[in-house]
Amino acid sequence: MNAENRFGQIKRVLIYVLILNWLVAFAKLALGYTIKSSSMVADGYHSLSDGASNIIGFLGIWLASRPKDESHPYGHKKYETFASIGIAFLLFFVCIGIVHESIGRFKNPVLPNANILSFIVMFTTLAVNFAVMLYEYRAGRRLNSDILVADSAHTKADILTSLSVIGALFAVKAGWPFLDPLIAIFIAAFILYVAFEILRDSAVVLCDSAVIDTKKIEAVVMAIEGVLSAHKIRTRGRCDDVHVDLHVLVKNDMRMDSAHKLSYKIEEEIRNKISGVSDVVIHMEPSSGEIKTP
């Protein structure tokens, strides 16, 4: 799949998800404020942030889809990962708002009105969120998209928080209204955990952590005739844009043109047998002395 087609598919997924997320958010917020449920309002703002994260995703995809240029010889794909950090920080702000609102409810208790409509809305939006999460996660894995995977984690958090809200509504019906703001704080803690997960995964890419096990690359290279050993193997980048560099030891009497052909063979084998590799830099070394020129 070429880059243009990949980015086009990601944009379509984000459009569908954005529409559904905001429909869910407005339903929760409207009913939450009507029945005075802090946990439902918290869940509504969480869903609203889902939609906001889709907009951040659009920005990230737009930047990442730009071709390589003189200033960015490695391309712009890391902008997609960078945008996922924006989603994480958005979640942090959502947490702060939820905790602030919940503490206020402890100081000034409000009795929510848990009616049949509130249960219908929550179960309906729960089903929509579950469908969105599966669709977005599978698309993210298929397209190797950090944005879609991060956003699906956001939606997964929305599912769990919705379950908590349903529990809070049952608690209100049972005569325990104090559980409503308490569960809202629990929702905030879970959202915070999801935000840290997104930051951790993004840091792996942006801080150039190793992407592929070096033993896997070594096994591919050592199976090629003419290679004596492979060492100083390094990898970095995104899972769909991996950059590899390594040193390869060959016989000291190998001609320069033969060594050059061998390096192309090594690069081809790595690209074909290890998915996601976009660039391979090989440093050829003689077993002793210098590599001979023709």
Side-chain angles (χ1 to χ4, degrees):
M1 181 187 301
N2 60 48
E4 185 177 350
N5 187 26
R6 172 182 176 270
F7 287 124
Q9 290 192 42
I10 294 174
K11 288 175 184 177
R12 283 194 294 273
V13 171
L14 286 172
I15 290 172
Y16 299 147
V17 172
L18 173 63
I19 294 170
L20 290 172
N21 278 337
W22 278 4
L23 285 175
V24 166
F26 289 133
K28 291 177 181 176
L29 287 171
L31 187 60
Y33 278 115
T34 300
I35 69 172
K36 300 178 182 180
S37 170
S38 59
S39 60
M40 188 179 291
V41 169
D43 194 20
Y45 278 117
H46 184 207
S47 296
L48 194 64
S49 71
D50 272 340
S53 70
N54 296 145
I55 295 175
I56 294 174
F58 275 118
L59 177 60
I61 291 300
W62 176 73
L63 291 170
S65 62
R66 294 162 67 188
K68 296 178 182 178
D69 54 41
E70 188 176 343
S71 300
H72 299 83
Y74 294 100
H76 300 78
K77 288 188 176 181
K78 281 189 177 181
Y79 277 110
E80 184 178 345
T81 304
F82 185 73
S84 67
I85 292 180
I87 295 175
F89 278 105
L90 184 63
L91 290 174
F92 287 135
F93 286 117
V94 170
C95 288
I96 293 171
I98 292 173
V99 171
H100 181 267
E101 174 70 19
S102 299
I103 292 174
R105 287 295 180 94
F106 279 119
K107 294 179 179 178
N108 302 289
V110 176
L111 181 64
N113 179 25
N115 52 35
I116 187 63
L117 180 60
S118 61
F119 286 100
I120 292 174
V121 168
M122 287 309 303
F123 278 111
T124 301
T125 56
L126 180 65
V128 171
N129 281 334
F130 186 76
V132 167
M133 184 269 294
L134 283 180
Y135 170 64
E136 195 171 20
Y137 178 79
R138 289 171 180 172
R141 288 302 183 192
R142 176 171 53 85
L143 299 170
N144 288 318
S145 170
D146 290 337
I147 284 291
L148 294 183
V149 172
D151 201 45
S152 70
H154 197 167
T155 306
K156 182 179 179 181
D158 207 14
I159 291 171
L160 295 175
T161 56
S162 294
L163 289 172
S164 300
V165 172
I166 292 171
L169 293 175
F170 278 114
V172 170
K173 294 291 285 185
W176 302 324
F178 67 91
L179 287 179
D180 184 53
L182 188 64
I183 288 176
I185 292 177
F186 166 77
I187 291 172
F190 184 79
I191 295 172
L192 187 65
Y193 170 75
V194 172
F196 274 117
E197 278 196 323
I198 294 173
L199 281 178
R200 181 198 61 197
D201 293 341
S202 299
V204 168
V205 176
L206 297 178
C207 296
D208 287 336
S209 298
V211 185
I212 303 171
D213 185 356
T214 57
K215 293 187 181 299
K216 184 177 181 179
I217 297 174
E218 184 180 4
V220 171
V221 176
M222 290 302 296
I224 300 172
E225 185 179 356
V227 174
L228 299 181
S229 70
H231 58 284
K232 293 185 179 179
I233 302 172
R234 300 186 300 177
T235 63
R236 63 183 179 85
R238 293 161 38 84
C239 60
D240 65 324
D241 184 32
V242 181
H243 294 256
V244 179
D245 63 81
L246 70 156
H247 289 223
V248 174
L249 192 69
V250 297
K251 291 182 179 179
N252 64 343
D253 60 351
M254 180 176 284
R255 291 167 56 93
M256 182 67 76
D257 58 345
S258 298
H260 186 64
K261 290 178 182 178
L262 179 60
S263 69
Y264 272 104
K265 176 65 175 177
I266 294 169
E267 181 178 352
E268 182 182 15
E269 286 295 296
I270 292 175
R271 286 177 181 271
N272 290 339
K273 294 186 177 180
I274 302 177
S275 63
V277 174
S278 61
D279 184 65
V280 182
V281 177
I282 303 168
H283 178 72
M284 305 297 287
E285 294 180 349
S287 56
S288 65
E290 299 291 335
I291 296 180
K292 294 182 179 180
T293 57

